[in-house]
Amino acid sequence: MKIGILGAGIAGLASAYFLRDSFPDLQVHEASLQVGGLARSFRWHGFDCDIAPHRLYTQDQELLAELLALVPMARVRRRSQIYLQGKWIRDPVNAAEMVFKFFPARSARIVWSYLLRREHGDASFESLVLTRFGEGLNEMFFKPYSEKLFGIPSNEISAEWGRRKIRVAGLRDMVRRQSKLYFKDFHYPRRGGYGAISQRLYEEVKDCVRLDSRLVGVAREGDKYVCRFVDATGASRTEEFDALITSLPLDTFARLFGLDLNLRFRPARITYLLVNRDRVTNNHWFYFADRDFILNRVAEFKNFVNDGLPAGRTVLCCEVTEIENFSVERVVAELTRTGILKPDEVLDTKVVELSHAYPVYDLGYESEMRRARDFFGAHPRIHHVGRHAQFAHKDIDEIFDEAKRVARRITEENI
């Protein structure tokens, strides 16, 4: 059986890793000249820099053991904060702290709007939040951050996003902090950043990986899937596969296959700042909820693992999805505004553009996903793995686990 894997990010590489022994006639095609996708890292001024902040947290001990067997990792005690209306608060949001820090005027609105909240239904993310938390927390936190992240009004964001990401029922649970959202520890590779996981997988399967091989056409012919690839010179080649695993953006792959889906991805610009200071904060990452900030979140890699890193300097990784108002100068200015940075401390900058950073969960996305499921239901030998292919916000451990399950299913079906 010949299997084609589209994309050499963490999803494609992990799929190949789990299938390589059972299916030697395996090909992984990657459009770029590098592997890892969003889960890659690069070396800059002596620092291992991830492409955007990631996290690796799982309660599945078997899955964790498999990842630790691939790459040595440190267990890190989580430290993160949120900058909100001129104050630093804990992340995840703690309602009691919010009430205390924004006493008295804003606190009263948070409490009373929660106590007097009414049923708004769940037609949108905003109505879901209003029902659960009231207007106070919605206006201060949920609405501005979600609108900045997705670029659309919160009443046009699907409630499904809220059901996935707001894993609490109300202020009582936020105080108790018992949700899985409140993980205390995570794992981080001791060297190489999160990209070390992708690189390790690549070392295991590199003989079947073809770089500079972009998919431009796919069709079903009989019981085969015929794929056409081109390289940077325009040269093309055609391959036939018995089964496909795709990690490509769902709308892109579907369009090549003849289905137009009205799905969107939010692009992002990731700005790296080399700062002339040993550390800027004590946080692993920190968030900016206010709508007048273009910054979404910032990670400081030196706080993850510090072995062998340059002394007296640090790197900040700053994520921006509001790219229409983006500039490096504004990123620096916003960090300066919080008081954690001075402009003359910035020694160098680097910007990485991501065309598909986040799936946009608008009100129509669920119906489009049903169309996709109905369409691909007629193609059981096409498997979708990863954030882009499944149009879902997934962490590294979730993607790795999904690749393992798909590989097991393919293997069992062909025994």
Side-chain angles (χ1 to χ4, degrees):
M1 183 176 183
K2 185 177 179 180
I3 300 176
I5 299 177
L6 308 175
I10 193 77
L13 292 171
S15 298
Y17 173 75
F18 288 116
L19 287 167
R20 70 196 191 287
D21 293 334
S22 300
F23 300 94
D25 196 3
L26 180 72
Q27 291 181 11
V28 181
H29 290 264
E30 167 59 44
S32 72
L33 294 173
Q34 54 190 342
V35 301
L38 293 180
R40 69 183 189 274
S41 303
F42 61 91
R43 193 77 172 169
W44 190 59
H45 292 291
F47 291 87
D48 294 310
C49 300
D50 299 329
I51 299 296
H54 295 287
R55 72 184 190 192
L56 176 53
Y57 164 76
T58 179
Q59 293 177 320
D60 186 331
Q61 295 304 307
E62 181 181 343
L63 177 65
L64 179 60
E66 287 184 290
L67 287 165
L68 293 176
L70 283 172
V71 176
M73 299 192 212
R75 183 174 179 176
V76 184
R77 188 74 171 178
R78 170 187 180 172
R79 298 188 302 273
S80 58
Q81 288 183 295
I82 299 169
Y83 187 78
L84 178 64
Q85 297 188 10
K87 299 180 184 293
W88 290 99
I89 62 175
R90 280 187 289 176
D91 168 50
V93 172
N94 178 281
E97 182 185 21
M98 292 268 294
V99 170
F100 173 76
K101 285 205 169 181
F102 293 99
F103 183 84
R106 294 188 181 95
S107 299
R109 179 160 176 74
I110 291 172
V111 173
W112 282 111
S113 66
Y114 173 73
L115 295 175
L116 300 176
R117 71 194 187 283
R118 57 187 176 83
E119 177 62 49
H120 291 264
D122 60 356
S124 70
F125 172 77
E126 182 169 61
S127 60
L128 181 71
V129 170
L130 288 172
T131 297
R132 291 189 179 185
F133 303 108
E135 294 181 358
L137 275 175
N138 182 54
E139 291 176 0
M140 281 189 69
F141 178 70
F142 291 108
K143 179 181 175 70
Y145 188 81
S146 60
E147 290 185 344
K148 180 167 54 175
L149 182 65
F150 292 121
I152 56 177
S154 62
N155 62 4
E156 295 179 14
I157 299 172
S158 170
E160 182 61 25
W161 164 252
R163 283 189 284 268
R164 288 188 203 174
K165 302 303 289 187
I166 305 174
R167 301 188 183 100
V168 290
L171 292 185
R172 181 183 304 171
D173 297 305
M174 294 174 74
V175 173
R176 290 177 177 175
R177 302 172 73 80
Q178 292 177 339
S179 165
K180 183 184 175 183
L181 181 65
Y182 304 128
F183 67 95
K184 296 180 179 179
D185 302 291
F186 64 97
H187 285 82
Y188 193 82
R190 294 189 178 278
R191 294 190 181 278
Y194 276 126
I197 301 173
S198 297
Q199 283 300 127
R200 182 69 179 85
L201 292 170
Y202 176 60
E203 290 170 9
E204 294 290 329
V205 302
K206 61 183 177 183
D207 289 344
C208 63
V209 177
R210 301 185 179 184
L211 302 177
D212 188 19
S213 184
R214 179 169 59 90
L215 181 73
V216 294
V218 58
R220 183 173 180 175
E221 295 184 5
D223 59 352
K224 303 287 185 181
Y225 290 100
V226 180
C227 297
R228 186 164 68 89
F229 303 93
V230 299
D231 62 19
T233 69
S236 66
R237 62 182 295 157
T238 300
E239 299 281 356
E240 289 187 352
F241 300 106
D242 299 296
L244 291 174
I245 297 176
T246 173
S247 63
L248 304 182
L250 179 57
D251 59 333
T252 300
F253 180 75
R255 191 175 303 115
L256 291 173
F257 207 58
L259 173 67
D260 284 326
L261 293 173
N262 186 22
L263 296 174
R264 293 178 290 159
F265 286 86
R266 181 78 155 153
R269 287 183 181 163
I270 313 299
T271 303
Y272 300 85
L273 306 178
L274 177 67
V275 181
N276 190 24
R277 199 193 304 175
D278 193 60
R279 277 182 174 79
V280 169
T281 75
N282 193 41
N283 294 310
H284 299 110
W285 52 80
F286 44 99
Y287 297 81
F288 295 85
D290 297 328
R291 193 66 184 89
D292 59 336
F293 277 76
I294 62 169
L295 282 168
N296 293 348
R297 58 177 175 168
V298 176
E300 187 166 1
F301 299 122
K302 201 168 193 178
N303 293 332
F304 289 69
V305 174
N306 192 26
D307 295 344
L309 296 182
R313 293 186 178 183
T314 189
V315 168
L316 299 181
C317 171
C318 312
E319 178 193 85
V320 175
T321 52
E322 199 171 86
I323 62 175
E324 57 273 16
N325 295 316
F326 170 84
S327 71
V328 173
E329 291 75 18
R330 180 163 178 176
V331 169
V332 174
E334 289 185 355
L335 291 172
T336 301
R337 176 177 160 189
T338 68
I340 65 173
L341 188 69
K342 296 179 181 178
D344 59 4
E345 292 178 314
V346 178
L347 302 176
D348 196 8
T349 65
K350 179 182 178 67
V351 178
V352 173
E353 302 208 13
L354 304 178
S355 60
H356 293 72
Y358 290 99
V360 177
Y361 299 108
D362 58 29
L363 294 179
Y365 106 91
E366 290 177 82
S367 64
E368 291 300 289
M369 290 300 293
R370 285 192 291 270
R371 288 182 62 217
R373 285 191 291 270
D374 290 344
F375 179 84
F376 286 107
H379 301 275
R381 287 181 291 113
I382 295 180
H383 307 271
H384 303 260
V385 180
R387 175 186 291 198
H388 290 159
Q390 295 177 289
F391 203 75
H393 192 112
K394 291 176 176 285
D395 293 322
I396 288 175
D397 58 289
E398 295 173 303
I399 297 170
F400 188 79
D401 187 46
E402 178 70 17
K404 181 181 178 181
R405 286 189 282 115
V406 166
R408 183 187 297 123
R409 185 160 64 245
I410 292 174
T411 303
E412 291 174 350
E413 289 173 354
N414 289 274
I415 292 177

